Amino acid sequence: MLSPNSAMRRVFLGIAVTGLLITAMPTPPSWAFRCSGLTVFGGVRRDRELKYCVQNGRENNWDRYWLKIPKEKVNLAISELRINYPESYRGEFNEDRIEVTVNGKKIDLDDAFWDRDNRFIQIYPTEAIPANSDIEVVLSNVRNPNFGGMFNFNALAVTRGGPPLPEYIGTWVLAIN
């Protein structure tokens, strides 16, 4: 028969071991990311707001952005993607670290460049992105601005067979703290 002291020791030991195991578990990557949420005041119309995730989201830090375009917004094949951002955003992009995935698969790019003066990123896929495709633009090695805020990044696309002018797709409302 167990004495009350040894039973209590086993209970406390069990609680202590469980607590250690829970705190020692690695944090899943999804918990480390911040993703778009609900914009309450002002901003972009709900039907034009696009989803995004940032790895860090803190001012004056290195970061990675995942900018998503749902297939419902891709009505025609896309031959060029353009992302423009406001003058108030003073971050920096690494044009060598721009990737695009279509329906979860990375695609080849002919070119991707960042025009600092005119505040946009231009992306040319090797082959046109098919209509009704989920698109994700991944910007790695981004240097966030020194001061945080809410920044509207606009997605524009030149469609195959359409006019050579980029057409508005939607807006990512990025929050940098």
Side-chain angles (χ1 to χ4, degrees), residues 23-145:
T23 57
M25 287 175 32
T27 304
S30 62
W31 290 357
F33 300 109
R34 290 186 326 131
C35 296
S36 54
L38 177 66
T39 305
V40 179
F41 295 106
V44 180
R45 284 190 0 217
R46 193 79 180 136
D47 64 325
R48 296 185 177 244
E49 193 168 342
L50 301 173
K51 304 288 183 197
Y52 74 92
C53 287
V54 294
Q55 186 170 2
N56 183 338
R58 291 191 213 121
E59 58 192 29
N60 202 26
N61 275 285
W62 293 103
D63 215 336
R64 178 176 295 144
Y65 301 169
W66 289 267
L67 308 175
K68 302 169 190 230
I69 302 171
K71 62 184 171 188
E72 295 80 24
K73 299 278 186 179
V74 184
N75 299 325
L76 299 169
I78 295 175
S79 58
E80 174 192 335
L81 282 170
R82 184 178 288 190
I83 301 167
N84 65 26
Y85 56 92
E87 191 172 341
S88 60
Y89 181 89
R90 305 286 175 148
E92 295 184 12
F93 303 99
N94 182 343
E95 58 194 358
D96 296 327
R97 298 291 307 272
I98 296 172
E99 296 176 358
V100 176
T101 62
V102 175
N103 297 323
K105 295 180 183 176
K106 184 179 170 188
I107 63 167
D108 293 327
L109 303 178
D110 275 343
D111 196 11
F113 68 93
W114 171 36
D115 186 333
R116 291 176 189 237
D117 297 330
N118 295 308
R119 298 179 314 282
F120 68 83
I121 297 168
Q122 207 158 8
I123 302 167
Y124 294 97
T126 303
E127 294 181 19
I129 298 170
N132 302 314
S133 297
D134 285 317
I135 302 171
E136 185 173 68
V137 179
V138 182
L139 306 175
S140 298
N141 281 10
V142 176
R143 183 66 174 185
N144 285 336

